[in-house]
Amino acid sequence: MNIILFGPPAAGKGTQAKRLVTQRGMTQLSTGDMLRAARTSGSELGKRVAGIMDRGELVSDAIVIALIEEALPSASGGAIFDGFPRTVAQAEALDDLLASKGARIDTVLRLKVDDEALVARVAKRFEEEGRSDDNPESFKVRLEAYNAQTAPLLPHYMAQGKLVELDGMASIDQVASQIDKALDGVTV
Ligand code: ADP
């Protein structure tokens, strides 16, 4: 089973992905984590994306599609796409990539969270972890990028009959049980 965790920045996608990895043996493919790892390693790619990420903007489709293409063969137990796709071009590339392997996205779990709650979560995370793109200005840009470039993917997955809407304002455990219910209803 391959799934997408979909939602705005700080919706809780990473938290839920990590639980699914532990409990279901799936593989998390987070483009954000891959890009941050590139930065930490000091690679050319890391240097190219650092400023873009810190401003809260999206890096190019070509870069993230290449990262996913490279990581996909190691996704045993099914893939959890987290933070990808974020644009229509990325969604189309993902559909094509999976189709070329005789695979597909089975379900798209959308975590719905109010903007106000997101801003509060990120302010707390910025204090605790100091992630450079969690500062208020960059976070505003990230939310705008989500609304302008990523939210338009919802009709793409709705049309494919794959979209499941979940209440991301609930507690971590409650979100987890909503996810379990949704996934256990999926036949693959
Ligand atoms: P968030 O917590 O906002 O969901 P991520 O950790 O997924 O953030 O991503 C952090 C940053 O990495 C984004 O703001 C963007 O600059 C870059 N990024 C991650 N995934 C993508 C993607 N699929 N397309 C373009 N840029 C991406």
Side-chain angles (χ1 to χ4, degrees), residues 69-143:
E69 200 164 352
E70 201 183 305
L72 197 55
S74 61
S76 56
I80 306 160
F81 295 95
D82 162 10
F84 180 92
R86 258 175 158 93
T87 64
V88 173
Q90 292 176 25
E92 288 170 351
L94 180 60
D95 286 346
D96 291 349
L97 186 61
L98 290 172
S100 74
K101 297 177 186 298
R104 65 190 176 120
I105 292 295
D106 296 291
T107 189
V108 179
L109 302 172
R110 176 191 186 190
L111 298 179
K112 291 179 76 175
V113 181
D114 296 350
D115 281 3
E116 268 171 42
L118 296 174
V119 170
R121 284 184 192 185
V122 163
K124 185 164 168 260
R125 189 166 75 181
F126 188 48
E127 250 172 50
E128 289 170 359
E129 298 173 24
R131 198 174 119 178
S132 49
D133 59 348
D134 277 345
N135 71 75
E137 300 81 57
S138 299
F139 188 68
K140 190 165 167 263
V141 176
R142 284 159 65 196
L143 261 187

Side-chain angles (χ1 to χ4, degrees), residues 2-181:
N2 297 307
I3 68 170
I4 296 174
L5 279 175
F6 193 93
K13 304 184 295 287
T15 303
Q16 297 298 335
K18 288 187 173 64
R19 190 190 61 92
L20 290 170
V21 167
T22 312
Q23 298 191 346
R24 294 184 184 244
M26 298 176 77
T27 302
Q28 178 188 13
L29 297 178
S30 160
T31 42
D33 285 353
M34 293 174 201
L35 293 166
R36 277 186 289 277
R39 292 181 64 170
T40 308
S41 76
S43 67
E44 267 318 300
L45 172 66
K47 287 180 194 141
R48 260 166 68 199
V49 298
I52 301 171
M53 291 176 74
D54 286 347
R55 287 193 297 278
E57 295 164 6
L58 295 185
V59 310
S60 76
D61 289 333
I63 289 176
V64 291
I65 291 166
L67 288 173
I68 287 288
E69 200 164 352
E70 201 183 305
L72 197 55
S74 61
S76 56
I80 306 160
F81 295 95
D82 162 10
F84 180 92
R86 258 175 158 93
T87 64
V88 173
Q90 292 176 25
E92 288 170 351
L94 180 60
D95 286 346
D96 291 349
L97 186 61
L98 290 172
S100 74
K101 297 177 186 298
R104 65 190 176 120
I105 292 295
D106 296 291
T107 189
V108 179
L109 302 172
R110 176 191 186 190
L111 298 179
K112 291 179 76 175
V113 181
D114 296 350
D115 281 3
E116 268 171 42
L118 296 174
V119 170
R121 284 184 192 185
V122 163
K124 185 164 168 260
R125 189 166 75 181
F126 188 48
E127 250 172 50
E128 289 170 359
E129 298 173 24
R131 198 174 119 178
S132 49
D133 59 348
D134 277 345
N135 71 75
E137 300 81 57
S138 299
F139 188 68
K140 190 165 167 263
V141 176
R142 284 159 65 196
L143 261 187
E144 283 166 3
Y146 173 78
N147 288 321
Q149 293 170 272
T150 308
L153 293 185
L154 291 168
H156 177 87
Y157 291 113
M158 179 102 76
Q160 295 183 359
K162 293 176 179 168
L163 191 64
V164 179
E165 309 253 358
L166 305 175
D167 176 15
M169 302 283 286
S171 70
I172 291 177
D173 286 349
Q174 284 166 340
V175 174
S177 67
Q178 293 177 63
I179 290 177
D180 285 336
K181 232 165 120 187

